[in-house]
Structure formats: structure tokens, C-alpha cells
Amino acid sequence: MAESGAGGVGQPKARAVWSWTYFWTVWFFVMLFLVYALRVPFRIGDSVSAVSMFLNTLTPKFYVALTGTSSLISGLILIFEWWYFRKYGTSFIEQVSVSHLRPLLGGVDNNSPANSNSTNGDADSSRQSVSECKVWRNPLNLFRGAEYNRYTWVTGREPLTYYDMNLSAQDHQTFFTCDSDHLRPADAIMQKAWRERNPQARISAAHDALDLEDCATAYILLAEEEATTIVEAEKLFRQALKAGEGCYRRSQQVQHHGAQHEAQHRRDTNVLVYIKRRLAMCSRKLGRTREAAKMMRDLMKEFPLLSMFNIHENLLESLLELQAYADVQAVLAKYDDISLPKSATICYTAALLKARAVSDKFSPEAASRRGLSPAEMNAVEAIHRAVEFNPHVPKYLLEMKSLILPPEHILKRGDSEAIAYAFFHLQHWKRVEGALNLLHCTWEGTFRMIPYPLEKGHLFYPYPICTETADRELLPAVFHEVSVYPKKELPFFILFTAGLCSFTAMLALLTHQFPELMGVFAKAFLSTLFAPLNFIMEKVENILPSSLWHQLTRI
């Protein structure tokens, strides 16, 4: 699909094309007037004759050198334009024309009062784009020691980027620290540990904190980073749960005694919720799925306001593993609400449930003959809704693109969220007979409903233009090619320079091989090129009196 700009991304390129057209048109007529007006004082007629004699004396070697040099220069421009496009996603020449030439040629400045109304009118969509470009904690993120590090030991590749790990460090400092940590020595040590970049230094600091007292956050760090198996991680989280519940009960009793106690209670609440959620994930990974689902339900009832952890997405995955589709529908009825933020898990799980009702008997040939039934139409609409929200997911579910380990953070509607969803939910789609076949037959129809996804959406806001940049920071570029939507077309100037380079190189080769024939062709081409100009000049001389042109040339 061709790329379109949202609220001014595509429009500047169109304005740039019009600016170039306007510039060259004015330049052509100005030069035409100057040539005609100055033909007498500068003896342009004699000069043209001299130029004709000069061209007649040129040898084929000159044309070979000329075309070869032109091919070399256009080739260098092509290489630079391609490098700039691959790095920044835009054409250098187009960017310069929009930023510098358009204001000089009468373009409207973006900061002018004329654009203030349109800017204010697009404020809501801009705010939505900013919120959709927010990076979220992956609800199903893997264990760094037991899973990510094992992958590194086996393959020698780093599955996490520095940007992703830095975001995790910021999350840990936000959830697991507070201003009163200096009152407890173990918490003071852990406050410094969460800021350490070296994993071994963090693990060593956690052991130092445990030497002083039972510290819940120290157990968390060891379970996340030092434990090499899920069983070891679960044991450490159970120890963390025992210490965390004690701290939570003590801080709960004094939470209203001041702002400091309230902050400490908030921190202890975050720690307790995190531990219980990770314990439920350990149970899920160890095959105790019913126990995991019960723990998640209890956690959501005990702390209904802590939606930042998105525990319902963990619950949905566990219920799908249990094939408890009625319970999945009940959870979706609560969270698939227009007022709540969406996710790939919500949209694609809703599509899976509707596809499950018709996928086992679905046939594209039969559907094309008799049309879609109401149930099939509902399933197709649900698939289109999910694909509009995140168009990257189908290629991973249909195994058209290879999966990698999901990052610790995701960008909603981006490639990182698609990887995280498909990594855990591909098995559930395969379990439903015919679901992937229905997805394969219908998902591309979404793009016919939204031909310009960056300008206008169908069921959701326009697709945010920031996803590619954020996903490149979150996903390892060494062994994964980031999925880009909508697919970008090559800029005009890259195609133009590629054609110019090929054309001049072909001329150089032909001139070298057939010098006499190409010389005749060059002379015929130049005479044909200047024929319209000579015709126009003769007509102007016949229409306008010579005395008027004589007075203008004197001026």
C-alpha cells in the first residue's frame, strides 16, 4: 500500500511537487524573455552559430566522457538518496524542498496564523497519536534469567535492546522504591541496585540486602535475573511473597499517618501485586494453568484499580489454554469496552471467538457462490477490526514472518505488540480448526476499507506514524527486520536518479560502441530540442514591433 501522511505528512510532499513545478515554469519563461530581449546586445544569434560550429567539431570521445560523467554523478546522488531514505525514511531532496524552498517560493509557514485553526482542530487526533505511541510494559514478559539469558547462552544473541532494558530499570525504580527507603537499610541498598547497569552488580547488591533482612524486592531481583529455571524463580517469588505480605500489612495500618507512609504503602502494594502476578505466571509456565487462572482472578478482585499491570491479558491467555471460551467471552465483555484502551490481545481474541463459531465449515469457494452468512460476516468484521488495530499480527499468525522472543516493553499497534501477541497466542489459533484459514482468506480485505490509514481510520483512530521508530528501539535489529505499515513507496527522486543513472550509463555505452551513429543522433536531438524555441522567437518577432523591443533592450 502506498504511504499517506496524517495531518500534514503527505501534504508537504504534494506542496513540494507543486513548488518545483511552479519554480521551473517561472524560470523557463523568465529565461525565454531574457534570451529574446538580450539577443541584440549580446549577439545571441552569433553565439548560437558559434555553438553550432563547436558542436559540429566535437568528437565521439567527448560524448562518451559527458555521458559517463553524468552517469557517475547521478549514481552518487542515487546512493546518497538511498542511504538517507533507509536511515531516516524520507528523501533528502524532498525534505530540503519542503523545509527550505517552499517558504522561498511563497509557501505558507506552519507557524503562521493561517494554520492555527487547523492545528487546533487536529488537537484531539494529535493527543490520541501521542497516547497510542506510549510504550507499555509487556503483560506477558519473560523471565530475564530463566528465559532471555538461556536464549543468549544457546544462540549467542542478545534478545533485548539497551532501550528496552533501560525502560525496565525505570519501571523497577518507579514500582519498587519510594522516598522512605533510607529508613530501612535493605531498601536503601535495593534503591541503588535498581539503578545499576551491570547485572552482576545488581545480583550482588540483592544478596547484600538479604544479609541484613528479608527484603521482598531483593528476592524479586534474584528471581528475575539470577534464577536459571522457572522452578527456581517460583521458589524465590514465594519467599518474596512472605516478606512482601508482612511489609504490606504493616504499611497498611499506618498509611493515613502522612504522605510518607502513604507513599510507602503504595510501594508495598505494587510489590505485592507484582509478586502475585509473577507467581501466577510461574504456575502457567509449569503447566498448572487452572491454578494460575484462579490466582489471576483473585488478584484482580483484590486490587481492581491496578489496571496498569493488565492482568486481564494474562487471564485471557490462561483461559484460552484451558479452552474455557465462555469465561474468555465474559472477560472480553468487561474489558472490550469503547471507553477502555484496546490491545492486540483484546481485539484478536474477540476475533478468534467469532471465527471459532464458523471456521470449521468455512470455505472461500462456497462463500463466493452463496455469499457470507450473518455469523461469517460477524467473524470477518471482527478480523477486519483486529487487523485495523494492529496490521502486523496476521503475518506472524500465518507464519509468513519468523517470530523472535518478545521484548519486555511493547508499543500498541506496533510490530513489538504483534510479536508479543503471536508468541503466546499462535497455539490458540492453531487449536481452533479453520481459524487460520479464515484469517488467511479475509485479513487483507481490511486495507480496502482504509486506503489512507495515516489520515483516517475506520473503527479506530488513524494509524500512528511513530510506531516504526519506537519498534526499531525495542526490537533487536541484528536478526529481526521491523515490520512497517503502511508499506513505504520509494520517493520520486530515488526513482528519478535511478532512471537518470541508467539512461546516461546506457548512452555512454552506446556512444563508445557506435560513435558515429550516436554523434548523428546527438546533433539531431539538439536541433529538435531547440526547434520550438526558434519557432517561438520568430512568432514573437512577427507579432511585436521591433521598435518596442529596441526600447526594452535599451532600458
Side-chain angles (χ1 to χ4, degrees), residues 33-188:
F33 173 78
L34 290 177
V35 167
Y36 186 83
L38 301 177
R39 72 190 192 285
V40 175
F42 287 108
R43 299 181 179 179
I44 292 179
D46 298 340
S47 300
V48 172
S49 301
V51 169
S52 300
M53 293 179 60
F54 173 74
L55 292 176
N56 290 330
T57 58
L58 292 177
T59 62
K61 292 183 179 180
F62 171 80
Y63 292 107
V64 174
L66 178 63
T67 52
T69 305
S70 302
S71 177
L72 175 63
I73 294 174
S74 57
L76 294 175
I77 296 175
L78 172 63
I79 293 173
F80 174 76
E81 274 282 287
W82 176 255
W83 169 82
Y84 195 89
F85 173 73
R86 293 287 294 179
K87 186 172 184 180
Y88 300 105
T90 185
S91 167
F92 174 76
I93 300 177
E94 287 183 359
Q95 187 178 23
V96 170
S97 64
V98 170
S99 304
H100 302 288
L101 293 182
R102 183 166 57 88
L104 297 177
L105 298 176
V108 181
D109 186 64
N110 292 332
N111 297 327
S112 64
N115 282 347
S116 59
N117 294 332
S118 61
T119 303
N120 293 333
D122 295 338
D124 293 337
S125 60
S126 299
R127 288 194 204 101
Q128 181 66 22
S129 296
V130 171
S131 64
E132 286 190 346
C133 290
K134 175 185 175 182
V135 176
W136 298 74
R137 183 81 176 177
N138 183 4
L140 297 168
N141 64 308
L142 304 178
F143 291 85
R144 192 174 292 185
E147 292 174 304
Y148 287 121
N149 286 349
R150 290 172 69 87
Y151 176 83
T152 303
W153 297 336
V154 173
T155 64
R157 296 174 173 176
E158 289 291 341
L160 299 176
T161 63
Y162 175 78
Y163 176 71
D164 192 13
M165 291 188 289
N166 187 49
L167 289 176
S168 297
Q170 295 176 19
D171 291 342
H172 295 154
Q173 294 176 49
T174 302
F175 295 147
F176 303 149
T177 63
C178 66
D179 295 335
S180 63
D181 282 344
H182 64 279
L183 300 178
R184 294 190 289 191
D187 288 337

Side-chain angles (χ1 to χ4, degrees), residues 532-549:
L533 180 62
N534 294 330
F535 176 77
I536 294 174
M537 292 177 66
E538 290 176 0
K539 290 297 182 181
V540 171
E541 286 180 350
N542 295 333
I543 294 174
L544 297 178
S546 59
S547 58
L548 177 61
W549 281 108

Side-chain angles (χ1 to χ4, degrees), residues 159-324:
L160 299 176
T161 63
Y162 175 78
Y163 176 71
D164 192 13
M165 291 188 289
N166 187 49
L167 289 176
S168 297
Q170 295 176 19
D171 291 342
H172 295 154
Q173 294 176 49
T174 302
F175 295 147
F176 303 149
T177 63
C178 66
D179 295 335
S180 63
D181 282 344
H182 64 279
L183 300 178
R184 294 190 289 191
D187 288 337
I189 294 175
M190 289 307 301
Q191 189 176 43
K192 296 179 181 178
W194 294 120
R195 298 173 181 170
E196 282 285 348
R197 292 187 178 182
N198 187 354
Q200 294 302 321
R202 290 196 297 269
I203 293 173
S204 177
H207 283 291
D208 293 339
L210 289 176
D211 290 338
L212 299 177
E213 59 177 329
D214 271 358
C215 180
T217 54
Y219 284 121
I220 290 176
L221 192 148
L222 295 179
E224 292 285 353
E225 300 194 22
E226 189 181 40
T228 57
T229 63
I230 300 299
V231 175
E232 293 178 13
E234 185 181 32
K235 291 180 180 178
L236 289 169
F237 273 120
R238 292 194 184 281
Q239 293 176 282
L241 178 63
K242 183 179 179 180
E245 285 179 336
C247 292
Y248 175 77
R249 285 193 296 268
R250 289 192 295 269
S251 63
Q252 189 177 27
Q253 296 173 359
V254 296
Q255 62 174 315
H256 301 296
H257 292 183
Q260 183 174 342
H261 293 285
E262 185 176 353
Q264 186 173 345
H265 177 67
R266 190 183 308 114
R267 189 275 310 270
D268 292 338
T269 302
N270 291 336
V271 170
L272 184 61
V273 172
Y274 185 89
I275 294 171
K276 288 187 175 182
R277 172 174 160 271
R278 293 304 257 178
L279 276 173
M281 294 177 68
C282 287
S283 298
R284 168 68 184 90
K285 292 176 184 293
L286 294 174
R288 305 193 303 269
T289 310
R290 293 189 181 277
E291 178 186 342
K294 182 179 182 304
M295 294 172 66
M296 292 171 190
R297 288 183 186 276
D298 294 341
L299 187 57
M300 292 168 63
K301 291 179 182 178
E302 186 178 359
F303 302 97
L305 299 179
L306 288 181
S307 59
M308 58 185 173
F309 290 106
N310 292 322
I311 305 172
H312 60 276
E313 296 195 10
N314 299 81
L315 177 60
L316 284 173
E317 197 278 328
S318 297
L319 293 176
L320 286 172
E321 178 64 21
L322 294 171
Q323 301 185 42

